Amino acid sequence: MTEAYYSQKTHGPFETHELGDFDLVSGEKIRGLNIAYATFGKLSPARDNAVLFPSWYSGSSKILELAYVGAGRALDPEKYFIILVNQIGAGLSSSPSNTPSPFGAARFPKVEIADDVRAQHRLVTEKFGIERLALVLGGSMGAQQTYEWAVRFPGALRRAAPIAGLARGTPYNRLLVQSFIDAITSDSAFEDGWYESASRVHRGLRRHARVFAASGFSPALFNTRGFAELGFTTTDDFVTGFVENHFLPQDPNNLVQLLAKWRDADVSRSTNGDLAAALGGVRAKTFVIAIDEDGFFPLADIEAEQKLIPGSELRRVSSPWGHLALFGADGAYNAAIDRHLRELLAA
Amino acid sequence: MTEAYYSQKTHGPFETHELGDFDLVSGEKIRGLNIAYATFGKLSPARDNAVLFPSWYSGSSKILELAYVGAGRALDPEKYFIILVNQIGAGLSSSPSNTPSPFGAARFPKVEIADDVRAQHRLVTEKFGIERLALVLGGSMGAQQTYEWAVRFPGALRRAAPIAGLARGTPYNRLLVQSFIDAITSDSAFEDGWYESASRVHRGLRRHARVFAASGFSPALFNTRGFAELGFTTTDDFVTGFVENHFLPQDPNNLVQLLAKWRDADVSRSTNGDLAAALGGVRAKTFVIAIDEDGFFPLADIEAEQKLIPGSELRRVSSPWGHLALFGADGAYNAAIDRHLRELLAA
């Protein structure tokens, strides 16, 4: 089931770039790291029109394409060379689910957001010869990667748009994400990550889907049946048909690996925990985009970080879909994001 | 462990009133229903100074006493005869944990908020001869009981103060509460409610405590370490020492029973689902009190109901403790509640 899911058929077309043995921040390494990505548009001769968009938790380059890329959108392939890149651990790039024994499954090494960004930097420079990206953007864990890019490689991007995410996880966010991990790993069928097949862990995945739904959408989405637009009837019908359905084909070790990466993200590792120093070094023109109804990343926490970024602007959007407006189900959200991105790209 | 917890030593002194065989709304019955309660102050000769305060989820009359009753407080035993009553299923009144076989544990019948209120009405009238209460108030599930009182017995109370709760659960709230149930019942040691001892289910109780904490407090409480006031260090230290510690001595069947009652609360059962008709019949002077930071019961949902109650007023309080400000840990919350209750009692 997971093989069919993590496939060209479901998420393609995508390409893969081999980075060889890759040393991780933790000191461990990934043998033969593969980074899966999809591109749209053409790189200009001056190599100055490239946009990098890393994936979020449990998503792939495909949903980024469907929700953000297209003619008439801010990310228009007629104008930009758009690189949608899949996180390590998410099933298309090197991951617990596709790494052979003995290093796969529960033995896949611990990856940090910084590792993704270092690998992406190599992809961008070695594969495409791009020294400076026109824009790096991303939502949620994609925002974590965007912040890490802006802090770690300040000269390598002209603009940044972290959406609905934080440069450093708050204690609240870490508690919440740990509860997502617990929902999966507490399933006795998880067996410390050594399950015989991913589908055996479906109870844990379903439980995870429900706690995720209860905090990821806004209360109003449920209370006004906003999900009826997508053809769902009751809360249960929606949570089963939309949220459980999203997670059930995925690999539990992949999800747990991603959640641990989400939980531990922190751009200030490179400045001994000094967040102001880390964000103070950002040189990209930055629009920090917050979703007012976001239960994962409350506005106050996002704004506190935005104020530490020189010359940055806070842009607020509103959606009953809350954090999960990122998925593109809300036309008003999509239009608002395009407005902000267009303005940023024109800057 | 649960015997020691559900005791006079821990929660007393409290009295018990026997109501005999009690027919439930569901059609089932409880044999020899006991209602545990504690009183403070003296009933006036005119029997017009009685205040009824039912307990909330996982709490007892003891925490109500500690957090709300005392000389100089709005609920002053010098002025009022205060009846703190324990919900059915919470361990002191008839509950899964104290009902003998074959009807106890997982076979304890399904109880609704309306059953509690009907039992409380008998306690108040039969035991104390009170025809009209000066005030009914309660927080969270106590608010559910307060609303049910005001709808079911409109002539039996002069005033009502539901705090941080709803008359009818929203789809969002039901989803959240179901996730609390799942956290407990998914523990394989729960064994469909037939665990050998409650302490065997500690993993489920701890998991439940964590999802409860992640949604019950405000993000700010964690992010600003507001719990340091109580002597806790890290998020983990606080969640373990405060939240897990609160739930671990309790009986899993009791908690699941209470959560199901919380999830299904709905004053409009008596009006064929017409909430406006149910709340439109309230005659008590009502202050609906909301906590701005409450993740369980968002302000918008509380306000929507308040508008359906004739002559009612919405009173807002703010606390980084969110929903769990109810516990009395925030002096500013306590003072604000007392101001609102004093004004209501003077009306």
Coordinates of all heavy atoms in Angstrom, one line a residue, chain B residues 264-293:
Chain B
D264 N -22.0 14.5 24.7 CA -23.4 14.4 24.3 C -24.3 15.4 24.9 O -25.5 15.3 24.6 CB -23.9 12.9 24.5 CG -23.1 11.9 23.8 OD1 -22.5 12.3 22.8 OD2 -23.1 10.7 24.2
A265 N -23.8 16.3 25.7 CA -24.7 17.2 26.4 C -25.5 18.1 25.3 O -24.9 18.5 24.3 CB -23.9 18.2 27.3
D266 N -26.8 18.3 25.6 CA -27.6 19.0 24.7 C -28.9 19.4 25.3 O -29.8 18.5 25.5 CB -27.8 18.1 23.4 CG -28.6 18.8 22.3 OD1 -29.1 20.0 22.5 OD2 -28.8 18.2 21.3
V267 N -29.1 20.6 25.7 CA -30.3 21.1 26.3 C -31.5 21.0 25.4 O -32.7 21.1 25.8 CB -30.3 22.5 26.9 CG1 -29.2 22.6 28.0 CG2 -30.0 23.5 25.8
S268 N -31.2 20.9 24.1 CA -32.4 21.0 23.1 C -33.0 19.6 22.9 O -33.9 19.5 22.0 CB -31.9 21.6 21.8 OG -31.1 20.6 21.1
R269 N -32.6 18.6 23.7 CA -33.3 17.3 23.5 C -34.8 17.4 23.9 O -35.6 16.7 23.3 CB -32.6 16.2 24.5 CG -31.3 15.8 24.0 CD -31.1 14.3 23.9 NE -29.8 14.0 23.3 CZ -28.6 14.3 24.0 NH1 -28.6 14.6 25.2 NH2 -27.5 14.1 23.3
S270 N -35.0 18.3 24.8 CA -36.4 18.5 25.3 C -37.2 19.3 24.3 O -38.5 19.5 24.5 CB -36.4 19.1 26.7 OG -35.7 20.3 26.7
T271 N -36.6 19.9 23.3 CA -37.3 20.8 22.3 C -37.1 20.3 20.9 O -37.0 21.1 20.0 CB -36.9 22.2 22.5 OG1 -35.5 22.3 22.4 CG2 -37.4 22.9 23.8
N272 N -36.9 19.0 20.8 CA -36.7 18.4 19.5 C -35.6 19.0 18.7 O -35.7 19.2 17.5 CB -38.0 18.4 18.7 CG -39.1 17.5 19.2 OD1 -38.8 16.4 19.6 ND2 -40.3 18.0 19.4
G273 N -34.5 19.3 19.4 CA -33.3 19.9 18.7 C -33.4 21.4 18.5 O -32.5 21.9 17.8
D274 N -34.4 22.0 18.9 CA -34.5 23.5 18.7 C -33.8 24.2 19.8 O -34.4 24.5 20.9 CB -36.0 23.8 18.6 CG -36.2 25.3 18.2 OD1 -35.3 26.1 18.3 OD2 -37.3 25.6 17.7
L275 N -32.6 24.6 19.6 CA -31.8 25.2 20.6 C -32.4 26.6 21.0 O -32.4 27.0 22.2 CB -30.3 25.4 20.2 CG -29.4 25.9 21.2 CD1 -29.2 24.9 22.4 CD2 -28.0 26.1 20.6
A276 N -32.8 27.3 20.0 CA -33.4 28.7 20.3 C -34.6 28.5 21.2 O -34.8 29.3 22.1 CB -33.7 29.4 19.0
A277 N -35.4 27.5 20.9 CA -36.6 27.3 21.8 C -36.2 26.9 23.2 O -36.8 27.4 24.2 CB -37.5 26.2 21.2
A278 N -35.2 26.1 23.3 CA -34.8 25.6 24.6 C -34.3 26.8 25.4 O -34.7 27.1 26.6 CB -33.8 24.5 24.5
L279 N -33.3 27.5 24.9 CA -32.7 28.6 25.6 C -33.6 29.8 25.7 O -33.5 30.6 26.7 CB -31.4 29.0 24.9 CG -30.3 28.0 25.0 CD1 -29.0 28.4 24.3 CD2 -29.9 27.6 26.4
G280 N -34.6 29.9 24.8 CA -35.5 31.0 24.8 C -36.5 30.9 26.0 O -37.1 31.9 26.4
G281 N -36.6 29.7 26.6 CA -37.4 29.5 27.7 C -36.8 29.7 29.1 O -37.4 29.6 30.1
V282 N -35.5 30.1 29.1 CA -34.8 30.4 30.3 C -35.4 31.6 31.0 O -35.6 32.7 30.3 CB -33.3 30.6 30.1 CG1 -32.6 31.1 31.3 CG2 -32.7 29.2 29.6
R283 N -35.7 31.5 32.3 CA -36.3 32.7 33.0 C -35.3 33.3 34.0 O -35.4 34.4 34.5 CB -37.6 32.3 33.7 CG -38.6 31.8 32.7 CD -40.0 32.2 33.0 NE -40.4 31.8 34.4 CZ -41.0 30.7 34.7 NH1 -41.2 29.8 33.8 NH2 -41.3 30.4 35.9
A284 N -34.3 32.5 34.4 CA -33.2 33.0 35.3 C -32.5 34.1 34.7 O -32.3 34.2 33.5 CB -32.3 31.8 35.7
K285 N -32.1 35.1 35.6 CA -31.2 36.1 35.2 C -29.8 35.4 34.9 O -29.3 34.8 35.9 CB -31.1 37.2 36.2 CG -30.0 38.2 36.0 CD -30.3 39.1 34.8 CE -29.2 40.1 34.4 NZ -29.4 40.7 33.1
T286 N -29.3 35.5 33.7 CA -28.1 34.7 33.4 C -26.9 35.6 32.9 O -27.0 36.4 32.1 CB -28.5 33.7 32.2 OG1 -29.6 32.9 32.6 CG2 -27.4 32.8 31.9
F287 N -25.8 35.3 33.6 CA -24.5 35.8 33.1 C -23.8 34.7 32.5 O -23.5 33.7 33.2 CB -23.7 36.4 34.3 CG -24.0 37.8 34.7 CD1 -25.2 38.4 34.3 CD2 -23.2 38.5 35.6 CE1 -25.5 39.7 34.7 CE2 -23.5 39.7 36.0 CZ -24.6 40.4 35.6
V288 N -23.6 34.7 31.2 CA -22.8 33.7 30.5 C -21.3 34.2 30.6 O -21.0 35.2 30.1 CB -23.3 33.5 29.1 CG1 -22.3 32.6 28.3 CG2 -24.7 33.0 29.1
I289 N -20.5 33.4 31.2 CA -19.1 33.8 31.4 C -18.2 33.0 30.5 O -18.2 31.7 30.5 CB -18.7 33.7 32.9 CG1 -19.7 34.5 33.8 CG2 -17.3 34.1 33.1 CD1 -19.4 34.4 35.3
A290 N -17.4 33.6 29.7 CA -16.5 33.0 28.8 C -15.1 33.3 29.1 O -14.8 34.4 29.6 CB -16.8 33.4 27.4
I291 N -14.2 32.4 28.9 CA -12.7 32.6 29.1 C -12.2 32.8 27.6 O -12.3 31.9 26.8 CB -12.0 31.5 29.8 CG1 -12.6 31.3 31.2 CG2 -10.5 31.7 29.9 CD1 -12.1 30.0 31.9
D292 N -11.6 34.0 27.4 CA -11.2 34.4 26.0 C -10.2 33.3 25.4 O -10.3 33.0 24.2 CB -10.5 35.7 26.0 CG -11.4 36.9 26.1 OD1 -12.6 36.6 26.0 OD2 -11.0 38.0 26.2
E293 N -9.4 32.8 26.2 CA -8.3 31.9 25.7 C -8.7 30.4 25.7 O -7.9 29.5 25.6 CB -7.0 32.0 26.5 CG -6.4 33.4 26.5 CD -7.1 34.4 27.4 OE1 -8.0 34.1 28.1 OE2 -6.6 35.6 27.4

